[in-house]
Amino acid sequence: MDLRKENILIVDDDIDILELLQRHLQSMDYHTYKAVSVKEALFILKDTFIDLLITDIQMPEIDGLQLLKFANEHYPEIPKLVVTGYPSVEGTLEVIKSGATDYLTKPFTKAELKEAIEKALTQNASRKKAKSTQVKSNANTYSDMVGASEAFKKVTNIIERVKDNKATVIVTGESGTGKELVARAIHYSGKFSREPFIAVNCAAIPENLQEAELFGYVKGAFTGANENRNGFFQAAKGGTLFLDEIGTASLAVQTKLLRALQEKEITRVGSQKIEKVDIRIIAATNANLREEIKNNTFREDLYYRLTVVEINVPPLRERKSDIALLTDKFLRKYGIEFKDRLLRISPEALQILQRYNWPGNIRELENIIQRAVIMSDGIIDVKDLPDFLKYQINFSDNELRPLREIEREYVQRVLNHTDGNKTKAAEILQIDRKTLREKLK
């Protein structure tokens, strides 16, 4: 029997209504989150597992309809209940089209609220059960990941196979490809989604503290250990522990990780007591662990324990057909955050994004879209993109040419763009004027 309280997010700019709804919901034994604006609601949705969204429509800056559309696109599994004091036939139709499950008109009774909530949660539970063995209905989204390419589908197909068991998974791929998103998708799309998800960046923990942070410690174990303290393993009890940059773990920690995987047990620093652990471990790395094994910096036996299932996340240059979908996702995210509205990108600007090879992968794309939204006055256009993207040389991947030809063509294009201004051209090329003069000779 599931005894977990459902998490309900209430969004209303009227503090009195917000507190009234919270009191009603808490008396019904629900766990509540409050937001007085759409922006605040988006932060909660991003970081919290929400079972039901209740929102007003008439709000300043960004209204409830924008929130409904965004939530329907990015969190289609969450039922959405609208409460409003401005009912109309046209308004009701628009709300339903925006993805609302039900519609309540203010003022309403506690009994009416309870009935609407139970109806929304029951309908959602039925839909989840019916789709329990299927990938999400929107073919272009999976959890918080976006894509339609074959490379993307290969990743999501493996996630589908591992999400409902606790097999150890290692996620590999270049920096910026979204390895943590894969780990979160495994956890939150599976049957253990209501348990903790604890993400740990091993590289961010000093080597002398890694063991204590991961496994906990007892009072007196070392200077400053003034009390017993749980580690990340204890915090993830019943759920998922995500160990990012696993290749940076010290050899001492690797030894204890191996025991945790083999025996399902750990010991705190300074203690001899064995503690059983029931968690799933997902590790991630952008390093070549086989090379690290050869260099004696990574344990071979731990490597094989971690690679029960391996998910390789492809670089963005190998899934360029997903760039348009990813761009749209980031435009929605940052358009609402910085401009209070949804933004679009021009076909010319999108074409430039699709030509680039993205050495920084999805993280680099997101940063560029974020910057473009801030710089743009409306539709994202070529002028809103960084110079190094605007002046790419466009030629076929199969067209192999000498470097001097490509360099000559690129320098000429930049000079044409600057109307022969060598100072500006040198700035774009990131060389000094003397070097440019030598190239022009």
Side-chain angles (χ1 to χ4, degrees):
M1 182 178 179
D2 187 2
L3 299 178
R4 187 186 73 96
K5 294 180 180 180
E6 282 86 354
N7 292 334
I8 298 182
L9 171 59
I10 318 162
V11 189
D12 200 311
D13 63 313
D14 187 325
I15 298 296
D16 292 334
I17 293 293
L18 207 57
E19 291 181 349
L20 175 65
L21 283 169
Q22 184 179 40
R23 285 197 300 272
H24 283 336
L25 294 172
Q26 287 178 342
S27 71
M28 299 174 199
D29 208 28
Y30 295 118
H31 191 278
T32 60
Y33 292 83
K34 296 186 298 184
V36 295
S37 68
V38 170
K39 284 186 178 180
E40 189 178 345
L42 293 179
F43 284 115
I44 295 172
L45 284 169
K46 179 182 177 182
D47 297 329
T48 312
F49 187 92
I50 296 297
D51 296 288
L52 174 65
L53 169 65
I54 301 178
T55 183
D56 188 19
I57 292 298
Q58 301 292 333
M59 287 184 285
E61 295 185 351
I62 312 173
D63 64 23
L65 284 178
Q66 291 274 51
L67 174 60
L68 283 174
K69 291 173 182 176
F70 183 88
N72 203 46
E73 174 73 21
H74 295 275
Y75 307 97
E77 72 282 359
I78 299 177
K80 299 141 190 96
L81 176 62
V82 168
V83 294
T84 181
Y86 304 92
S88 68
V89 174
E90 294 81 6
T92 302
L93 290 173
E94 189 172 9
V95 164
I96 297 301
K97 286 180 181 177
S98 298
T101 309
D102 208 346
Y103 190 102
L104 269 180
T105 303
K106 301 174 186 177
F108 47 81
T109 67
K110 182 179 177 180
E112 289 172 334
L113 175 65
K114 182 179 181 181
E115 182 182 356
I117 290 173
E118 289 178 348
K119 179 181 176 183
L121 290 173
T122 301
Q123 288 178 349
N124 191 54
S126 299
R127 283 196 299 271
K128 281 184 176 179
K129 186 175 181 180
K131 299 195 302 179
S132 61
T133 59
Q134 301 173 9
V135 178
K136 293 198 174 11
S137 58
N138 184 345
N140 296 334
T141 64
Y142 192 106
S143 188
D144 199 31
M145 302 189 303
V146 175
S149 63
E150 287 304 313
F152 176 81
K153 291 175 183 175
K154 185 177 180 180
V155 170
T156 58
N157 285 341
I158 300 175
I159 293 173
E160 276 294 298
R161 292 181 179 274
V162 301
K163 66 179 184 178
D164 290 327
N165 60 64
K166 290 191 175 179
T168 305
V169 178
I170 190 163
V171 186
T172 59
E174 296 176 9
S175 180
T177 51
K179 295 186 289 295
E180 183 170 341
L181 284 181
V182 171
R184 289 183 179 275
I186 293 170
H187 178 81
Y188 286 110
S189 62
K191 66 182 183 181
F192 305 108
S193 61
R194 293 180 174 182
E195 303 301 334
F197 177 90
I198 305 296
V200 181
N201 185 340
C202 297
I205 307 174
E207 186 171 319
N208 64 320
L209 295 179
Q210 286 181 354
E211 193 173 347
E213 290 292 314
L214 284 170
F215 304 104
Y217 56 82
V218 296
K219 183 178 179 180
F222 49 84
T223 302
N226 299 320
E227 60 183 358
N228 294 341
R229 182 174 172 181
N230 287 335
F232 292 121
F233 267 83
Q234 290 92 344
K237 182 180 178 181
T240 300
L241 179 60
F242 173 58
L243 300 174
D244 198 7
E245 297 194 54
I246 187 66
T248 64
S250 68
L251 287 172
V253 164
Q254 289 178 34
T255 300
K256 295 194 75 169
L257 282 174
L258 180 63
R259 181 171 181 81
L261 287 168
Q262 286 177 331
E263 310 298 335
K264 306 296 183 186
E265 59 188 33
I266 61 170
T267 54
R268 298 172 189 244
V269 175
S271 172
Q272 300 298 318
K273 182 181 177 181
I274 294 174
E275 298 180 44
K276 288 292 183 181
V277 288
D278 175 28
I279 62 172
R280 165 173 43 199
I281 291 180
I282 302 177
T285 183
N286 57 17
N288 185 332
L289 293 184
R290 289 184 179 275
E291 285 298 316
E292 294 196 13
I293 291 170
K294 290 179 183 178
N295 296 330
N296 296 318
T297 56
F298 200 84
R299 293 185 59 128
E300 186 173 15
D301 46 5
L302 176 59
Y303 172 78
Y304 290 117
R305 280 288 177 180
L306 290 172
T307 53
V308 174
V309 177
E310 181 174 354
I311 301 178
N312 181 256
V313 186
L316 190 53
R317 63 182 174 273
E318 293 179 10
R319 45 177 296 206
K320 285 193 171 184
S321 59
D322 292 333
I323 288 175
L325 293 169
L326 288 162
T327 298
D328 181 64
K329 172 187 175 179
F330 298 137
L331 284 176
R332 289 173 178 270
K333 175 181 177 180
Y334 293 112
I336 288 178
E337 182 175 343
F338 295 120
K339 301 290 187 177
D340 294 338
R341 67 183 187 275
L342 301 177
L343 298 181
R344 294 185 294 112
I345 188 169
S346 72
E348 295 77 16
L350 180 60
Q351 188 177 51
I352 287 174
L353 297 182
Q354 291 171 325
R355 285 207 308 257
Y356 184 54
N357 263 347
W358 300 106
N361 293 296
I362 296 174
R363 186 181 296 129
E364 183 183 12
L365 173 62
E366 180 173 5
N367 290 341
I368 283 175
I369 296 301
Q370 183 179 6
R371 174 192 180 277
V373 167
I374 293 170
M375 301 301 294
S376 174
D377 295 321
I379 294 176
I380 306 298
D381 207 349
V382 175
K383 65 179 176 57
D384 303 308
L385 300 178
D387 286 346
F388 74 87
L389 280 178
K390 297 176 193 174
Y391 310 125
Q392 297 175 80
I393 297 174
N394 185 24
F395 60 90
S396 166
D397 290 340
N398 297 320
E399 187 181 346
L400 301 178
R401 300 160 61 188
L403 178 61
R404 62 181 180 276
E405 285 186 20
I406 297 172
E407 184 179 56
R408 182 165 59 240
E409 180 181 335
Y410 184 57
V411 170
Q412 188 60 58
R413 286 183 62 179
V414 173
L415 279 169
N416 291 342
H417 173 79
T418 62
D419 295 324
N421 186 323
K422 295 184 181 64
T423 300
K424 179 64 177 173
E427 288 177 2
I428 292 172
L429 293 166
Q430 296 185 5
I431 58 177
D432 56 38
R433 282 176 56 87
K434 181 181 177 181
T435 303
L436 178 59
R437 285 196 299 271
E438 291 298 321
K439 291 184 180 297
L440 290 176
K441 288 179 182 180

